[in-house]
Amino acid sequence: MSESRAKRVRIKEVDGWTLRMLIDYVYTAEIQVTEENVQVLLPAAGLLQLQDVKKTCCEFLESQLHPVNCLGIRAFADMHACTDLLNKANTYAEQHFSDVVLSEEFLNLGIEQVCSLISSDKLTIPSEEKVFEAVIAWVNHDKDVRQEFMARLMEHVRLPLLPREYLVQRVEEEALVKNSSACKDYLIEAMKYHLLPTEQRILMKSVRTRLRTPMNLPKLMVVVGGQAPKAIRSVECYDFKEERWHQVAELPSRRCRAGMVYMAGLVFAVGGFNGSLRVRTVDSYDPVKDQWTSVANMRDRRSTLGAAVLNGLLYAVGGFDGSTGLSSVEAYNIKSNEWFHVAPMNTRRSSVGVGVVGGLLYAVGGYDGASRQCLSTVECYNATTNEWTYIAEMSTRRSGAGVGVLNNLLYAVGGHDGPLVRKSVEVYDPTTNTWRQVADMNMCRRNAGVCAVNGLLYVVGGDDGSCNLASVEYYNPTTDKWTVVSSCMSTGRSYAGVTVIDKPL
């Protein structure tokens, strides 16, 4: 305590500006924590034992948690012994894993931190594919140095939980796996697991056969724009827990017939029709800030397109440019903010529905302007080979069908064939390459939005051939029944974009 006897005390770890803020706080009990000052305020408050300021800084950082910064906040909390913030940032990273792994912070983690994250039982992921793809992306980010860690990383990827097709077509073909004998052993373990009868799989106990048990985050369904009866800017959210709708920030401009996805913590509204023109523009919505911003335009104008996320890229599939149906497909890289073309489909498809199952992108039905007919054909895209191939056809022609994925199955919901609007639904199983009918919806719908949440498939709005619908219904695969949701949207709308997001903190 030599400072107690000194005439002058040097405080090395705090600059004058920060110290002044803290002295003002001591006299006024007021302090303004911002993004600019929190990183110097928190350590200084810790040093001077101003626990209330430290707590306020931690609460501020907690309110700022986002997929692009949560790993940095976690490291910062660890450095300054903020245990509560450390746990919350860690939980946030686990719950938003699919988006976190697209960030620069993830790619710059050390091997120990990556292993710690991917070994967690609490990861919230649509399937184990996300973990495998994250490992490959991390290694490829600095391949020469990191490829020696492949075996250590693959020990924590639960390969037995992946679909067989994915193991054969993606994992086995990955060069980083082929070059490691230990990785091949993990692949063999997974193949053996799939060969065993279900009752014998229980005996094959390992960390990699254990299901992850994530804590379910509360979800919101976001319905963006649409036709009511003209293109609108309105965006509304359905809170599944509260069972009610509420309005959020409007689109920057009117938009219907757009593609819609949720990626990296943002909602993307892609292309569409603004009431007079087919557009190339793309807007992204940040649910935390409740605001829209524009990103790079697509190469082509597209309305009634399909949009989906595959291996961290956003795909815009087919659509209509104002004069012709499109077979072209382009992909968006969020890191470089650029669009680029990939292989086109074999068929022109406007009013097409898309979905991703087992690492493949499916384009379902639609309308072929060249032959002027609604389509029953379906094709799938393999990003590794950059090729489209036809798969089994649906039992009926469907243009404007809603497409959703639930339990590794692809659903085609409603749609129309000429003037005939359908209430029928069929489901595709990639393991058998077959379609089968399931229960009809309660009402005919085309151009409706579809999304899957909590083991149920929701269908939102659309039109029945004569008017736009505000109603929502959901399908339960366990009971093979459709149930109408008691609360309707504020506006009947067709051609709206629909996606499910994590409810912001």
Side-chain angles (χ1 to χ4, degrees), residues 30-290:
E30 287 181 6
I31 196 156
Q32 189 71 40
V33 180
T34 66
E35 278 182 57
E36 286 70 39
N37 68 23
V38 68
Q39 291 195 329
V40 289
L41 263 183
L42 189 147
L47 180 76
L48 300 172
Q49 296 181 21
L50 294 168
Q51 295 306 331
D52 284 354
V53 177
K54 189 174 176 182
K55 183 169 177 248
T56 302
C57 289
C58 288
E59 286 169 354
F60 174 80
L61 286 170
E62 189 188 329
S63 76
Q64 299 295 302
L65 284 170
H66 191 277
V68 301
N69 68 16
C70 61
L71 296 174
I73 290 175
R74 183 179 75 168
F76 185 69
D78 195 19
M79 188 192 301
H80 298 292
C82 305
T83 315
D84 195 40
L85 178 62
L86 172 67
N87 292 336
K88 283 185 171 147
N90 196 54
T91 300
Y92 186 93
E94 290 171 344
Q95 291 180 328
H96 297 81
F97 181 83
S98 298
D99 297 321
V100 169
V101 297
L102 301 174
S103 71
E104 283 299 314
E105 285 190 348
F106 173 76
L107 294 174
N108 294 324
L109 283 180
I111 178 66
E112 300 300 337
Q113 294 150 308
V114 177
C115 287
S116 162
L117 184 59
I118 65 172
S119 61
S120 166
D121 272 347
K122 299 292 175 200
L123 291 189
T124 301
I125 44 174
S127 84
E128 197 66 21
E129 289 161 28
K130 284 281 178 204
V131 184
F132 177 75
E133 297 295 347
V135 164
I136 300 303
W138 184 84
V139 172
N140 279 331
H141 190 65
D142 190 0
K143 194 171 171 182
D144 294 342
V145 174
R146 293 178 175 179
Q147 55 189 355
E148 66 175 281
F149 298 130
M150 265 304 285
R152 271 188 74 186
L153 292 160
M154 290 298 286
E155 181 187 344
H156 305 296
V157 181
R158 303 182 185 185
L159 289 181
L161 306 182
L162 286 164
R164 276 180 305 188
E165 295 67 32
Y166 189 83
L167 287 170
V168 174
Q169 291 167 9
R170 176 72 183 93
V171 180
E172 193 180 19
E173 294 302 312
E174 173 56 57
L176 290 167
V177 173
K178 283 181 173 173
N179 294 336
S180 160
S181 57
C183 290
K184 284 184 191 163
D185 290 342
Y186 292 130
L187 183 59
I188 290 164
E189 174 193 51
M191 299 292 202
K192 275 185 183 168
Y193 183 80
H194 278 281
L195 289 170
L196 288 173
T198 313
E199 60 276 9
Q200 285 182 25
R201 288 180 182 177
I202 301 158
L203 304 173
M204 194 173 162
K205 275 194 173 147
S206 85
V207 162
R208 286 171 296 284
T209 60
R210 192 170 70 225
L211 289 170
R212 297 192 194 260
T213 51
M215 287 163 55
N216 273 344
L217 274 178
K219 302 287 186 191
L220 297 176
M221 178 159 63
V222 186
V223 184
V224 178
Q227 254 174 238
K230 289 183 174 167
I232 56 172
R233 290 176 58 198
S234 151
V235 181
E236 47 190 320
C237 281
Y238 180 73
D239 188 316
F240 292 96
K241 196 173 178 189
E242 295 172 7
E243 297 186 1
R244 68 183 187 90
W245 291 92
H246 54 94
Q247 301 284 329
V248 294
E250 287 195 324
L251 280 160
S253 55
R254 299 192 301 148
R255 197 188 284 269
C256 64
R257 310 180 197 174
M260 194 69 46
V261 300
Y262 181 50
M263 176 173 83
L266 301 168
V267 175
F268 288 84
V270 183
F273 182 63
N274 65 11
S276 53
L277 288 170
R278 275 81 193 170
V279 296
R280 300 189 298 137
T281 57
V282 183
D283 292 318
S284 80
Y285 173 71
D286 185 332
V288 177
K289 296 177 179 165
D290 188 31

Side-chain angles (χ1 to χ4, degrees), residues 396-412:
T396 45
R397 299 175 190 272
R398 294 178 193 271
S399 175
V403 171
V405 175
L406 190 59
N407 305 330
N408 288 319
L409 300 173
L410 186 76
Y411 285 79

